[in-house]
Amino acid sequence: MTSTTTNPTSARESELLARVPTGLFIGGTWREASGGGRIAVEDPATGRTLVEIADGTVEDGAAALDAAVAAQAGWARTPTRERAEILRRAFDLVAARADDFALLMTLEMGKPLAEARGEVAYGNEFFRWFSEEAPRIAGRYSENPVGGSRLLTMKQPVGPVLAILPWNFPLAMGTRKIAPALAAGCTIVVKPATQTPLTTLLLAQVLEEAGVPAGVVNVLTSSTTGKVTAPLIADPRLRKLTFTGSTPVGKKLVEQSAEQLLRISMELGGNAPFLVFDDADLDKAVDGAMAAKMRNQGEACTAANRFYVQRGIADEFSRRLAERMGSLVVGRGTEDGAQVGPLIDARARDDVAQRVTEAVDAGARVLTGGSAVGDTGYFYAPTVVVDVPADARLLREETFGPVAPVVVFDTEEEGIALANDTEYGLIAYAFTQGLERGMRVAEALETGMVGLNAGVVSNAAAPFGGVKASGFGREGGLEGIEEYLETKYVNFPL
């Protein structure tokens, strides 16, 4: 592991930050928070403030919902082809400003520029995908089996939506919710994460330029997410809540939403197992492990968190993984050659460090890494740990960081049992060259998604989501737009 030099903010960065809106976007208007408060947005690579933005209040939240409600009927009546063309224009505009979005994400979240560019491409696909799905919204017509009438079903928008976003994928998590909502005919209030609001603010500016009518998309930034969103969730005019984040917060939101019986979709935490069987192609398995573990510095709900390797190849896999992890370049994401950026804040870095220390104290061995990097920013070295006790937090809880704990197993049944031994069920990875084994394992894993000989599965054309404590509902794919549609049945006699 090596580290690049952390440089101060460049002229290009300063110029971009000066162009990003810093107010609330409500009813098609940019404005300051009603209380005049401001939030400092920090660069996690330096600890310095990038810019200050509006700190929205409860009153601002109410205004945002008012705007969404006022725009709902008109947007629902907008022809699907027109909605589709607006989304397609948004896709083109984001693509044209890909460098701006990538740099902005790197500044406020920390990921290397190359990875940020990948997120722009991935996240933007939701605009293109749902621009194509909007005109395909359809019901069905059928005869009453006993005669005398016809049965008609139709799809209609759920209504105003509240979307609460996480900080780790500032663009993709926004487009993954905004695009299907708009395609379905729903208006939306978007609450970005306090740590990474700038990408969402720039996205709102792009959507305005693409022709989204006033009030259809509203962006509410605030340092007190729970305080400003609770009244919205309790408001009977809100009809849908979508959230990506931790399972404990998701549970609280589900409780709050019960009073209004809101339609809800929850993409919550994960603790993804990564299974490597003794017949796997080791080169492909290590490549897959690097992709599954190190995307976003390991700060992803889909990140591989528990590596289970069959005994015959465990030592060689661990050696190769440690070699690859140890060679990664740690540094500010804007620096040439940087492959691993900082964690989001000091608390995140310290939590990762504490988990590794606990495992080592309990008998685990560090093959590479195992410590913070540098005196500036929130960097942690890519780490591989072996001989990890079964009750270690590195295995039992989701770890948001660049740490790969490796555990040995003997039989296929044991490997599957270890993989399923968690409350979470978002995604699992399995590497084997045996087709029959691959299908057995994929069917037996208790997750919403499986990467079979693949370290990355996210795709706008595929349904993303989990089971168990990882939530419910799906984003992307044919299923994604259904989360924002109600089915109405009409019976008419003949």
Side-chain angles (χ1 to χ4, degrees):
M1 179 276 300
T2 58
S3 175
T4 65
T5 302
T6 298
N7 289 332
T9 304
S10 69
R12 165 79 174 98
E13 295 166 16
S14 298
E15 184 271 335
L16 173 59
L17 291 169
R19 289 191 283 110
V20 176
T22 61
L24 309 175
F25 187 60
I26 297 176
T29 301
W30 292 98
R31 65 199 215 187
E32 290 302 312
S34 60
R38 308 288 287 175
I39 307 169
V41 181
E42 186 182 51
D43 177 353
T46 66
R48 292 195 293 266
T49 296
L50 294 167
V51 69
E52 292 187 348
I53 64 168
D55 190 359
T57 65
V58 171
E59 291 74 22
D60 295 322
L65 182 57
D66 288 344
V69 170
Q72 176 60 52
W75 184 243
R77 289 194 300 268
T78 301
T80 56
R81 176 58 65 193
E82 186 175 336
R83 299 202 297 258
E85 292 301 329
I86 290 173
L87 287 170
R88 180 60 196 223
R89 285 198 294 273
F91 170 83
D92 291 336
L93 288 168
V94 170
R97 299 186 66 178
D99 287 344
D100 284 350
F101 277 104
L103 178 56
L104 197 58
M105 279 191 286
T106 293
L107 293 177
E108 67 176 344
M109 187 268 155
K111 68 185 70 184
L113 268 174
E115 188 164 348
R117 292 188 186 103
E119 181 178 338
V120 175
Y122 163 60
N124 202 22
E125 275 301 310
F126 289 99
F127 281 147
R128 177 155 61 178
W129 175 263
F130 286 108
S131 75
E132 296 164 346
E133 287 301 296
R136 298 190 181 112
I137 297 171
R140 61 185 175 87
Y141 173 94
S142 61
E143 294 185 14
N144 187 334
V146 298
S149 67
R150 296 296 181 264
L151 315 178
L152 175 67
T153 61
M154 61 183 71
K155 299 288 186 177
Q156 295 181 320
V158 170
V161 176
L162 171 62
I164 303 176
L165 310 184
W167 51 261
N168 56 343
F169 291 94
L171 180 69
M173 298 302 98
T175 57
R176 205 159 78 177
K177 298 178 188 298
I178 294 169
L182 268 56
C186 298
T187 59
I188 191 167
V189 176
V190 182
K191 169 60 183 71
T194 304
Q195 300 98 321
T196 57
L198 302 181
T199 302
T200 306
L201 293 170
L202 182 60
L203 185 61
Q205 187 179 67
V206 165
L207 288 168
E208 184 181 24
E209 186 179 344
V212 174
V216 172
V217 175
N218 306 275
V219 178
L220 175 66
T221 56
S222 177
S223 61
T224 55
T225 301
K227 184 176 180 180
V228 300
T229 59
L232 306 186
I233 296 170
D235 193 312
R237 298 176 300 166
L238 187 76
R239 295 314 313 145
K240 162 81 179 180
L241 169 64
T242 175
F243 169 74
T244 298
S246 73
T247 296
V249 174
K251 289 179 178 179
K252 292 179 182 177
L253 292 173
V254 171
E255 291 177 3
Q256 293 176 20
S257 69
E259 184 66 27
Q260 299 299 336
L261 294 177
L262 290 180
R263 279 280 296 275
I264 52 178
S265 50
M266 295 276 151
E267 196 268 280
L268 306 177
N271 192 8
F274 190 102
L275 287 163
V276 185
F277 292 94
D278 54 12
D279 65 343
D281 181 317
L282 264 184
D283 290 333
K284 291 181 179 179
V286 174
D287 286 345
M290 293 297 295
K293 177 69 260 180
M294 293 308 297
R295 186 183 186 193
N296 238 42
Q297 296 86 239
E299 294 176 309
C301 56
T302 55
N305 270 318
R306 300 172 291 140
F307 289 79
Y308 296 115
V309 187
Q310 203 156 16
R311 187 171 301 277
I313 59 169
D315 288 345
E316 179 63 11
F317 175 87
S318 299
R319 184 191 67 78
R320 292 193 193 187
L321 182 62
E323 184 177 272
R324 291 279 298 276
M325 293 275 276
S327 69
L328 294 173
V329 178
V330 178
R332 190 171 190 247
T334 55
E335 297 296 320
D336 290 341
Q339 297 169 294
V340 181
L343 299 184
I344 190 63
D345 54 30
R347 186 172 71 172
R349 178 201 58 200
D350 295 345
D351 179 63
V352 170
Q354 179 62 33
R355 292 177 187 222
V356 173
T357 297
E358 290 174 3
V360 170
D361 289 345
R365 291 186 296 117
V366 174
L367 297 188
T368 191
S371 63
V373 177
D375 299 323
T376 303
Y378 312 121
F379 298 91
Y380 194 85
T383 299
V384 176
V385 188
V386 296
D387 301 333
V388 182
D391 60 350
R393 283 204 295 154
L394 278 180
L395 298 177
R396 305 309 304 176
E397 300 177 7
E398 182 178 33
T399 299
F400 247 46
V403 181
V406 180
V407 175
V408 177
F409 71 89
D410 288 300
T411 67
E412 179 180 316
E413 293 74 18
E414 181 189 2
I416 292 171
L418 287 168
N420 288 337
D421 185 21
T422 176
E423 65 177 317
Y424 298 101
L426 183 61
I427 186 171
Y429 304 90
F431 279 73
T432 174
Q433 293 189 80
L435 177 60
E436 292 182 357
R437 168 179 272 172
M439 292 308 300
R440 284 197 307 269
V441 171
E443 291 182 0
L445 290 168
E446 298 170 355
T447 56
M449 301 176 288
V450 176
L452 185 56
N453 295 319
V456 176
V457 303
S458 298
N459 190 309
F464 187 104
V467 298
K468 301 187 334 186
S470 291
F472 42 82
R474 294 296 181 267
E475 295 182 309
L478 301 176
E479 297 81 358
I481 200 168
E482 291 294 330
E483 300 287 340
Y484 298 86
L485 293 169
E486 298 281 15
T487 300
K488 178 180 286 185
Y489 154 57
V490 178
N491 182 296
F492 58 99
L494 290 182

